[in-house]
Amino acid sequence: MSIYPTSIQYSTILDEKYPMLTAYFAFAMCAGTTFCGIIVTPLSKCFDDFGLRPLFYIAAGVQLVAYFLCVLTVPNWSTARPTNDSALLEPQLTWVYLIAFLLGFADSANVASGTVLCSRLLPGRESHTYSAARFYRGVAASVIFFCSPVLTMTLHAVILVTVTLFSALSFDFAMKQVERRDGSSKNL
């Protein structure tokens, strides 16, 4: 949801009340990232392979909640231009904090689970798979940025929900391959 900081700046309802809105957003996003690290570290020690499916599905769920909240709390066309339009729920600083926190948490969890998956998919070539994954993620974000002048917040959310669900299916498919490979190597 990289378009969210622009959207809150273009929402004149928020921008007039809170001129430091981008800084608040960045602080809350960093807090979400830090909180994820604080939670993941002990849980990874308690549960075997917590950094794989459990963490990825937690991240996907958090992302879906954040997208839903964005649609409810951000004026639809604030992705492309300054607007006085209202949202389904009145835009407030509390929503900005919550959404940024959730996006930071989800991003941190995605990076952690992606790193663990890359290390399991191709042992010894982790950096190659991780770099390729980050490259494609960057390309996808760039495409969405270039399309943002014609996309509403709702359309952004629909695209991101679709990508999140596709990612979950792909992640599950990759994990099944890893488990099948690990299971057959243990039987030898």
Side-chain angles (χ1 to χ4, degrees):
M1 187 56 72
S2 304
I3 197 66
Y4 184 69
T6 302
S7 298
I8 58 176
Q9 285 294 318
Y10 280 173
S11 175
T12 54
I13 296 168
L14 285 171
D15 193 42
E16 290 172 359
K17 286 184 189 176
Y18 310 104
M20 299 292 294
L21 198 55
T22 306
Y24 299 147
F25 172 83
F27 175 78
M29 192 158 180
C30 288
T33 301
T34 303
F35 185 71
C36 180
I38 290 169
I39 287 183
V40 168
T41 302
L43 289 175
S44 294
K45 292 176 183 173
C46 293
F47 301 103
D48 191 37
D49 286 339
F50 180 78
L52 290 170
R53 276 196 182 106
L55 186 58
F56 181 81
Y57 291 131
I58 289 169
V62 169
Q63 282 176 279
L64 294 174
V65 169
Y67 301 156
F68 180 70
L69 289 174
C70 285
V71 169
L72 292 178
T73 62
V74 174
N76 212 21
W77 277 107
S78 66
T79 56
R81 61 183 176 264
T83 181
N84 289 344
D85 296 346
S86 61
L88 297 172
L89 297 175
E90 183 179 338
Q92 297 178 32
L93 189 57
T94 307
W95 292 119
V96 173
Y97 281 139
L98 178 61
I99 292 168
F101 183 87
L102 293 175
L103 291 173
F105 184 95
D107 184 57
S108 180
N110 277 329
V111 168
S113 61
T115 303
V116 173
L117 179 62
C118 288
S119 69
R120 297 281 298 273
L121 275 174
L122 295 169
R125 301 200 59 178
E126 299 88 358
S127 62
H128 295 90
T129 55
Y130 186 72
S131 296
R134 293 299 287 186
F135 172 77
Y136 288 114
R137 186 176 181 186
V139 168
S142 297
V143 169
I144 287 179
F145 272 134
F146 282 113
C147 295
S148 65
V150 295
L151 298 176
T152 64
M153 180 56 78
T154 304
L155 203 48
H156 271 283
V158 167
I159 291 168
L160 292 172
V161 165
T162 303
V163 168
T164 300
L165 295 176
F166 179 73
S167 296
L169 292 173
S170 299
F171 188 90
D172 197 53
F173 177 75
M175 277 308 305
K176 286 180 182 175
Q177 286 184 323
V178 167
E179 289 168 347
R180 203 172 310 126
R181 183 191 68 212
D182 290 352
S184 65
S185 66
K186 286 180 183 177
N187 292 335
L188 293 178

